[in-house]
Amino acid sequence: MTGSWLDDVRWTAEGLVPVIAQLADTGRVVMFAWMNRESLQLTAEKGYAVYWSRSRQRLWRKGEESGHQQKIIDIQLDCDEDVILLKIEQIGGIACHTGRQSCFYRSLLDGQWQSTEPVLKDPKTIYK
Amino acid sequence: MTGSWLDDVRWTAEGLVPVIAQLADTGRVVMFAWMNRESLQLTAEKGYAVYWSRSRQRLWRKGEESGHQQKIIDIQLDCDEDVILLKIEQIGGIACHTGRQSCFYRSLLDGQWQSTEPVLKDPKTIYK
């Protein structure tokens, strides 16, 4: 029966599923990415988020360069079985490659996307 | 300049963008869906979530049948400009067509997807 929970997921034609990552403590949504079957299985096994990079077409062990890994607290599936929600603990407190806590740092204000949150760490010092 | 903020969004080849809906007060993620340009514009203009139904290939005014509209508190864009996060107030307290608060009501426990949350209202009484 190994992997039967993976069969419950309705993968896209490309074999992917969209994934939302949310901080387990505050509920802040920090990232959106994709997984394939292997990356979801690895995520569950290892307890750290592993995504599928569509641009690089390879497994992307979140934090592999930055050290900003995402420790898994809970893995949830939606009613249509085609979206995954991760409750995570964000190592280093930074999920975004811009050096911010969250990738969602811009709000629509007065008809423009405006940044509402500071850069916590210069990306140049995150990615050597 | 009308609509220039809509041009900042990197739409998919099908003209869509993935959208995460999160309760503004508790941070609970309740839904994941898609929008096209028209639905995102309507969402911003009307102050209530309007999605694009991929299965029905038409605008989907959330709550049009159930009354469970989503009042917009904030519209956010991610670092790659290809994902939208909505902070909402969920009218009726139910976002999911199964009658639950959230579409994410199953967790991976002991290698199985297990429901961790009750149905608040029988769907038969929501959709007449």
Side-chain angles (χ1 to χ4, degrees):
Chain A
M1 293 296 290
T2 302
S4 64
W5 62 275
L6 290 164
D7 295 331
D8 293 334
V9 177
R10 290 175 53 206
W11 307 93
T12 67
E14 297 77 34
L16 302 178
V17 67
V19 180
I20 303 159
Q22 175 181 40
L23 301 184
D25 53 359
T26 65
R28 176 105 197 248
V29 173
V30 293
M31 221 177 84
F32 173 88
W34 296 80
M35 289 186 180
N36 65 2
R37 188 182 172 99
E38 185 184 4
S39 65
L40 181 54
Q41 184 162 21
L42 284 168
T43 297
E45 278 177 14
K46 307 288 185 187
Y48 286 89
V50 179
Y51 298 102
W52 175 255
S53 170
R54 294 184 304 166
S55 57
R56 291 174 288 182
Q57 288 287 302
R58 67 166 177 85
L59 288 179
W60 165 31
R61 292 163 199 275
K62 173 68 181 167
E64 61 194 4
E65 290 179 65
S66 63
H68 296 156
Q69 292 178 291
Q70 295 178 335
K71 186 177 177 187
I72 303 301
I73 308 298
D74 195 9
I75 302 177
Q76 299 189 321
L77 183 65
D78 80 327
C79 55
D80 293 327
E81 290 151 348
D82 59 3
V83 185
I84 297 284
L85 175 64
L86 300 179
K87 304 287 184 78
I88 62 152
E89 180 188 323
Q90 179 62 59
I91 308 299
I94 293 174
C96 184
H97 76 286
T98 65
R100 293 177 177 87
Q101 183 186 45
S102 169
C103 295
F104 298 91
Y105 59 83
R106 280 178 288 200
S107 286
L108 185 61
L109 297 166
D110 300 325
Q112 292 180 58
W113 300 108
Q114 298 189 31
S115 177
T116 56
E117 134 165 27
V119 172
L120 300 176
K121 197 170 176 183
D122 185 339
K124 289 195 202 79
T125 69
I126 300 177
Y127 303 94
K128 282 114 191 171
Chain B
M1 293 295 287
T2 301
S4 64
W5 63 274
L6 289 165
D7 295 331
D8 294 333
V9 177
R10 290 174 53 207
W11 305 94
T12 68
E14 296 78 34
L16 303 178
V17 67
V19 180
I20 303 159
Q22 175 181 41
L23 301 183
D25 53 358
T26 65
R28 177 105 197 249
V29 173
V30 292
M31 222 178 82
F32 173 89
W34 296 81
M35 287 186 180
N36 66 2
R37 188 181 173 101
E38 185 184 4
S39 64
L40 181 53
Q41 184 162 20
L42 284 168
T43 297
E45 278 177 14
K46 307 288 185 186
Y48 287 89
V50 179
Y51 298 101
W52 175 255
S53 170
R54 295 185 303 167
S55 57
R56 289 173 287 180
Q57 288 286 303
R58 68 166 178 86
L59 288 179
W60 165 32
R61 292 163 199 274
K62 173 67 182 168
E64 61 193 4
E65 289 179 68
S66 63
H68 296 155
Q69 292 178 291
Q70 296 178 335
K71 187 177 178 188
I72 302 300
I73 309 299
D74 194 10
I75 302 179
Q76 299 189 320
L77 183 65
D78 80 328
C79 54
D80 294 328
E81 291 150 348
D82 59 3
V83 185
I84 297 284
L85 175 65
L86 301 178
K87 303 287 184 78
I88 61 152
E89 180 188 321
Q90 178 63 59
I91 309 300
I94 294 175
C96 184
H97 75 286
T98 65
R100 293 178 177 87
Q101 183 185 46
S102 169
C103 296
F104 298 91
Y105 60 84
R106 278 179 288 199
S107 288
L108 184 60
L109 297 166
D110 301 324
Q112 290 182 58
W113 299 109
Q114 298 189 31
S115 176
T116 56
E117 135 167 26
V119 171
L120 300 177
K121 196 169 175 183
D122 184 338
K124 287 194 204 82
T125 70
I126 300 177
Y127 304 94
K128 281 114 194 173

